[in-house]
Amino acid sequence: MIGRILFAKLQGHTLDCYAKQYRLFADILDDCARTVQVCTPFCHASLRLALLCVASLGFSIVGVAGGSTRASLTQHQAKADNMADVSAKDSSQETAVNLIALVLSLALVSLLDHTHTSAIPFLLFVFCSFLHIKCNYNACRSIHLPTLNPRRYQLLVRDFLSSELYSHVDLRTPSQIASDEDLLIFPWPSTQDLSIFRPFARTPIRTFVVRVGEEVSSLHTSHVTEQISIFHQENYAITITREVGWLGDTRIVVDVLLSNHSSTTDELKALFHATLLRVSCDTINQSTVWLRPLHIIHTKLSEIVSASDPMPLAKEVLQISHNFVCAQFEVFIR
């Protein structure tokens, strides 16, 4: 029960925008928990209680992630506003599958009862588990949600920035871009989904953290007001600071601040700006003239990591990126 409460508290706000990912995660975790249950009798007696607790924790998380995302996906599938009908048919389909599985399991038990090899049942279990995960992966991949989340939005921005003729770019719809969306969610997705954690990469920018919806009072730096002044005509603001992570790594932290009067367009613009900074962390092709500001941003962000005073560089990055956003966001949003 504690696992259910903690999971709902920590990850409940991400279940809607990552419904497909959590649906697949619930299926994988369910198979993992069942594997732990199957292997428990073969382990030492002192470990069995702990293993059963781990399996129980897994099943509790599966109940929250699977149940909550089922409602979201059912709502998407109810194209004719017939959510009750879709729910009833989904429940009937699950019942039919369980009935077929029961018949097959009884037949397998009678067949395996005459075998003298204990490995065959375990191999069948492993095969069925992988088949279950594969089928659910294909099912989640086939779902094309007509909405944006941070991952799909980042893919759209990357499409826009990679276009040579950006003024005539024809962006894909969220449904079309769903085929490129990553369905795995390790570590947990959140509003920091634009973040980077690559401690062993051969690049100055190894850790890049984006925090959306932060309050000004939570930012402990005297340069916040100076950075926010750049966005005096916007309903959002972005600050860049350098912090030391809990692993001792130097990280660049981008905080996205939203005004109480911000509209959906303002939120999209703020996320466009944050995504632009995220994309600039990677190597930028200098041959494309209109992307040269991104190359400058990439260079300045790399210098922030080792600079003795990173704040002037951070303000310069914000000024250059803000000018780029003001010039290109209207083209992107069209």
Side-chain angles (χ1 to χ4, degrees), residues 29-49:
L29 184 59
D30 182 67
D31 288 341
C32 291
R34 294 186 188 279
T35 303
V36 172
Q37 277 188 330
V38 170
C39 296
T40 296
F42 302 99
C43 297
H44 193 271
S46 60
L47 298 176
R48 291 175 185 173
L49 179 60

Side-chain angles (χ1 to χ4, degrees), residues 141-180:
R141 178 61 70 190
S142 66
I143 298 174
H144 296 167
L145 298 176
T147 56
L148 288 173
N149 63 11
R151 291 189 179 182
R152 292 194 285 272
Y153 191 75
Q154 184 179 168
L155 290 173
L156 285 177
V157 174
R158 285 184 177 274
D159 281 355
F160 176 74
L161 295 178
S162 63
S163 173
E164 295 283 346
L165 301 173
Y166 60 94
S167 59
H168 301 90
V169 62
D170 187 15
L171 294 178
R172 292 178 290 174
T173 65
S175 297
Q176 293 171 336
I177 210 167
S179 58
D180 294 335

